């Protein structure tokens, strides 16, 4: 069992829909990362959060440290949001443990 | 553009070849990382360098040999690879350990 689990693994939605991707982790962490990987491989760091909620444009990330759970929400989804979304938890001082990713497809 | 570049972007090599992957960051960061992403598997950390010193080797086979001559450059030397080493190899950097990492575009490697 991976220490970082994401759900769903695949998600297809229509443009404009509200999207939620979930991440559960079993390691004790101080912060959780959300990353976006576009076709072709490039990865962009979206958020690093240790409590509460962070918002950037149409993206919102929340975390509940007690429940070891985080969610990534996308409001008013758009086809350009189609990507793989990955959560990652630090393990020790320098290692990140990654979830398997959620492949999101937004259809026009 | 994240400020982290990788070359080459694509590489095909035979099992007896020797090649090197290069990563350069223009962000003034002090920590650099090599990751491997195989098909249908999560990203795996391979190596971490902090202020040019290797601080993590995640049980990587010796046919992968990293080199960090300075804080801006990171190499991954490859020799006698196996077909199962075919993957996307990603470099990342961060200001210091545990901070946000910035990723390069990756090198897609195919070992024949």
């Amino acid at each position: 069992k991976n220490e970082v689990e994401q759900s769903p693994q695949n998600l297809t939605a229509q443009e404009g829909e509200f999207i939620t991707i979930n991440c559960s982790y079993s390691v004790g962490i101080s912060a959780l990362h959300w990353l976006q990987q576009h076709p072709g491989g490039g990865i962009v760091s979206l958020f690093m959060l240790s409590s509460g909620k962070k918002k950037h444009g149409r993206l919102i990330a929340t975390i509940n440290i007690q429940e070891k759970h985080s969610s990534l929400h996308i409001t008013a989804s758009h086809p350009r949001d189609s990507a793989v979304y990955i959560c990652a938890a630090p393990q020790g001082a320098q290692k990140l443990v990654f979830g398997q990713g959620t492949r999101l497809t937004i259809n026009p | 553009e994240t400020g982290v570049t990788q070359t080459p972007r694509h590489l095909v090599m035979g099992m007896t070849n020797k090649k090197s992957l290069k990563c350069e960051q223009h962000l003034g960061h002090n920590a650099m990382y090599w990751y491997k992403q195989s098909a249908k598997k999560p990203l795996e950390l391979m190596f971490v360098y902090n202020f040019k010193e290797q601080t993590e080797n995640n049980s990587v086979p010796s046919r992968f040999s990293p080199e960090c001559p300075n804080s801006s450059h990171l190499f991954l030397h490859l020799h006698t690879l196996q077909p199962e080493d075919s993957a996307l190899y990603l470099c990342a950097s961060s200001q210091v350990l545990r901070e946000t990492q910035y990723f390069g575009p990756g090198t897609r490697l195919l070992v024949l």
Side-chain angles (χ1 to χ4, degrees):
Chain A
K1 183 172 161 42
N2 201 15
E3 292 169 295
V4 179
E5 293 278 344
Q6 288 184 236
S7 63
Q9 288 194 29
N10 293 281
L11 178 57
T12 299
Q14 290 300 120
E15 184 173 356
E17 286 189 43
F18 181 80
I19 302 299
T20 296
I21 299 169
N22 296 300
C23 177
S24 297
Y25 50 91
S26 57
V27 295
I29 66 166
S30 56
L32 187 101
H33 300 252
W34 280 101
L35 309 163
Q36 180 191 55
Q37 185 171 30
H38 277 283
I43 292 179
V44 175
S45 182
L46 297 175
F47 296 103
M48 184 172 73
L49 69 165
S50 54
S51 65
K53 181 166 80 172
K54 282 192 174 181
K55 186 173 188 290
H56 182 73
R58 295 179 293 105
L59 300 176
I60 304 166
T62 63
I63 189 168
N64 184 318
I65 295 287
Q66 287 75 29
E67 294 187 4
K68 296 189 175 181
H69 181 269
S70 176
S71 293
L72 177 69
H73 305 284
I74 304 175
T75 62
S77 59
H78 190 275
R80 65 175 175 265
D81 298 324
S82 298
V84 176
Y85 292 84
I86 304 168
C87 68
Q91 187 180 65
Q94 55 201 357
K95 186 175 175 179
L96 280 179
V97 179
F98 295 84
Q100 73 273 38
T102 295
R103 185 174 298 277
L104 174 66
T105 303
I106 303 296
N107 293 318
Chain B
E1 276 296 323
T2 61
V4 181
T5 59
Q6 288 187 244
T7 54
R9 295 292 306 275
H10 296 88
L11 179 62
V12 180
M13 59 187 289
M15 289 190 283
T16 58
N17 292 157
K18 287 186 181 181
K19 297 285 185 185
S20 295
L21 310 185
K22 179 183 175 183
C23 174
E24 184 173 1
Q25 56 97 358
H26 311 274
L27 302 168
H29 288 169
N30 296 303
M32 295 188 78
Y33 312 78
W34 277 118
Y35 290 96
K36 176 183 178 183
Q37 188 177 39
S38 303
K40 302 193 188 300
K41 283 186 167 183
L43 272 162
E44 299 172 69
L45 178 69
M46 298 176 74
F47 301 103
V48 180
Y49 277 81
N50 190 34
F51 290 93
K52 300 189 299 178
E53 298 297 319
Q54 188 183 122
T55 55
E56 176 87 24
N57 177 335
N58 196 27
S59 303
V60 181
S62 60
R63 57 186 184 270
F64 295 92
S65 174
E67 179 191 0
C68 187
N70 55 62
S71 291
S72 299
H73 293 86
L74 186 64
F75 294 89
L76 188 63
H77 303 299
L78 316 171
H79 63 98
T80 59
L81 294 192
Q82 304 297 310
E84 59 264 29
D85 296 321
S86 299
L88 180 68
Y89 289 85
L90 289 151
C91 171
S93 71
S94 62
Q95 179 61 44
V96 293
L97 296 175
R98 307 197 84 167
E99 291 297 316
T100 298
Q101 294 182 24
Y102 293 79
F103 286 80
T107 295
R108 195 164 292 280
L109 173 67
L110 178 62
V111 182
L112 299 176

